[in-house]
Amino acid sequence: MKRLFGNIGTMMMIIFTAITLTSCDEDTEMAYDLDGIWQGTIYGNYYNDRYGYSEDWDTEIKFVQNGDFSRGGWGEERDWDYRGRCYTNQFNWSVRNGRIYLDYDDGYRIIIDRYDLYSRGGTLRFKGVFEDYDTGEQLASFDLVKVYEWGDYSKKQTSNNLFDTQNDSIENKKE
């Protein structure tokens, strides 16, 4: 009888461990949902310090998760101003306590807060607010749609001959 209860106890421990290891927390689920390519518009003065002027920008942001159960990863952002210039920046990102942290290669750091991830018409959408990492000041709002191919937006823009993304570099971003 003692051996039977010992075996049952062992089986219960194995089952409990399996359940615990496969469950996800909210930050991991958010990171999983972010993984992919998003396109849309950023509204506000987000780029005033980075590029030297404020306006609305068309953007394409790629989030790549560091594995299925990771809370972060790396990414790339492409931004187009109304003059037709394209700027590209890489970043590392993580989700902590329901907030999304982006650390760009150029030293710029932001927090995505007060965001909503929802589906409309079968399309996944992501909208929210960019805040300055150090001051908490609201820099801009954004409204993005999840797409499935990197470069969809840039292909559309270049096919309209609005600009050439190959001729602009990060070093030439300020006028």
Side-chain angles (χ1 to χ4, degrees):
M1 192 67 150
K2 192 176 194 180
R3 186 173 179 186
L4 176 64
F5 285 122
N7 288 341
I8 291 173
T10 303
M11 289 301 276
M12 296 288 282
M13 289 272 278
I14 291 171
I15 291 170
F16 178 74
T17 303
I19 290 171
T20 303
L21 291 177
T22 59
S23 65
C24 296
D25 62 26
E26 289 180 23
D27 290 345
T28 304
E29 289 177 18
M30 181 61 194
Y32 179 81
D33 290 340
L34 274 178
D35 187 57
I37 302 163
W38 300 85
Q39 297 172 346
T41 306
I42 297 174
Y43 311 94
N45 62 354
Y46 173 57
Y47 296 104
N48 192 39
D49 293 336
R50 285 178 99 176
Y51 303 144
Y53 49 93
S54 296
E55 57 193 32
D56 296 345
W57 292 72
D58 290 325
T59 191
E60 184 172 56
I61 303 174
K62 180 189 335 185
F63 289 93
V64 179
Q65 191 179 13
N66 283 340
D68 290 341
F69 300 104
S70 171
R71 290 185 184 109
W74 62 274
E76 184 173 332
E77 179 178 336
R78 294 178 185 169
D79 304 302
W80 291 269
D81 67 10
Y82 74 92
R83 294 176 186 99
R85 287 178 292 222
C86 178
Y87 305 108
T88 302
N89 287 292
Q90 286 75 38
F91 59 87
N92 290 312
W93 62 276
S94 63
V95 181
R96 297 188 309 262
N97 299 320
R99 300 175 89 191
I100 304 163
Y101 295 83
L102 294 129
D103 294 313
Y104 289 88
D105 287 349
D106 65 359
Y108 208 70
R109 299 176 354 166
I110 63 164
I111 298 170
I112 298 177
D113 200 12
R114 295 175 278 163
Y115 58 84
D116 190 16
L117 192 63
Y118 62 99
S119 181
R120 183 177 357 157
T123 304
L124 199 56
R125 301 187 67 90
F126 179 40
K127 67 179 183 176
V129 174
F130 289 150
E131 294 179 353
D132 183 272
Y133 183 89
D134 297 315
T135 66
E137 173 189 2
Q138 181 174 326
L139 301 173
S141 62
F142 62 90
D143 189 8
L144 308 174
V145 175
K146 193 165 197 175
V147 297
Y148 295 98
E149 186 177 340
W150 180 246
D152 281 349
Y153 191 83
S154 62
K155 284 184 224 171
K156 180 178 85 174
Q157 293 299 322
T158 55
S159 69
N160 291 335
N161 295 322
L162 293 177
F163 52 85
D164 182 4
T165 60
Q166 302 300 319
N167 294 331
D168 206 0
S169 68
I170 255 176
E171 291 80 25
N172 298 328
K173 49 187 164 179
K174 290 193 179 184
E175 292 186 320

